[in-house]
Amino acid sequence: MSATTLTARAVLLDMDGTLVNSDAVVERVWRRWAARHSLDPTNVLSVVHGRQGHLSMAMLLPERPVEENLAENATMLAEESSDVEGVVAVPGAPALLEALVGAPHALVTSADDTLARVRMGAAGLPLPPLLITAELVAASKPDPEGFLMAASQLGVDPAECLVLEDSEAGIIAGLAAGMRVLGVGPRAAAFGPTHHAPDLTGITVEYVPGGGISLTVPHPAVP
């Protein structure tokens, strides 16, 4: 089977759906929310992946005041942080994070700091040395701010960063930042990432002289 090699100077990793499979928790929490607001849960779940909760609420309840969305989002974050049933690592994530130790890489997530640490811990995954979480940005994905902030703090040009993402909002954000995006998982293929892989299994990391990183995806990373 052919493979694809992608080179970069920094790797920027989304969390939910990319490193951590938290779909079970997300579905439980948002299905309850949909029921409370008499909304179609299927439509709700088609919106919420990759975004901060209050922005999803604003899309789903456009007439509701921002203050109500922020308050309810805080409640839901607490719910999500206390529910780790079914939270597991995406196949290949432990090996990839281990291979990236010592290389410039960051977690860029729409979760807040508490939720990011809870979910990574529940999945048995180490935290990257740099975390860009919801509290640190003024604008959430699909805005590119988080990815650009990570690149700046790592001292790497955005064009030399490789983003790993699963959601529409995250893929849009990565591309808007001027970065290449490896879409990960079944959701990602439909949203136009630069390349796509079914999961992280078998991805290997090598270091290129001069500080580069080479990721080889064992299955073809389909454009």
Side-chain angles (χ1 to χ4, degrees):
M1 182 180 292
S2 62
T4 300
T5 298
L6 307 172
T7 58
R9 296 187 71 86
V11 177
L12 309 182
L13 302 140
D14 173 53
M15 181 179 70
D16 291 306
T18 301
L19 295 175
V20 175
N21 183 344
S22 56
D23 283 1
V25 178
V26 172
E27 290 207 8
R28 284 195 293 272
V29 170
W30 282 98
R31 283 184 183 278
R32 290 196 296 267
W33 184 87
R36 289 197 298 270
H37 295 283
S38 301
L39 296 174
D40 175 14
T42 301
N43 182 53
V44 168
L45 289 170
S46 73
V47 168
V48 300
H49 292 288
R51 291 184 174 86
Q52 291 186 31
H54 66 92
L55 296 178
S56 296
M57 293 173 191
M59 293 175 66
L60 294 160
L61 297 173
E63 304 303 320
R64 197 164 78 153
V66 171
E67 294 76 15
E68 288 186 36
N69 293 336
L70 291 170
E72 193 167 27
N73 184 56
T75 299
M76 290 182 69
L77 282 171
E79 285 183 52
E80 290 186 84
S81 295
S82 64
D83 183 355
V84 295
E85 184 179 352
V87 174
V88 296
V90 167
L96 176 61
L97 288 171
E98 182 179 355
L100 286 171
V101 171
H105 67 292
L107 189 72
V108 182
T109 175
S110 294
D112 67 2
D113 186 82
T114 297
L115 183 56
R117 292 176 185 275
V118 165
R119 285 199 176 149
M120 291 289 282
L125 296 174
L127 290 168
L130 175 63
L131 273 65
I132 304 296
T133 55
E135 305 95 325
L136 299 179
V137 297
S140 177
K141 301 171 187 177
D143 192 281
E145 181 184 357
F147 288 123
L148 292 172
M149 181 181 293
S152 176
Q153 292 194 24
L154 291 171
V156 177
D157 187 278
E160 296 185 300
C161 294
L162 177 66
V163 168
L164 275 63
E165 265 285 0
D166 75 299
S167 72
E168 180 179 20
I171 291 168
I172 290 172
L175 294 174
M179 302 173 182
R180 289 157 299 139
V181 178
L182 175 62
V184 178
R187 274 193 294 267
F191 304 129
T194 316
H195 300 280
H196 176 258
D199 58 31
L200 304 175
T201 303
I203 294 179
T204 58
V205 176
E206 294 184 2
Y207 299 100
V208 179
I213 307 166
S214 174
L215 273 72
T216 299
V217 184
H219 19 251
V222 182

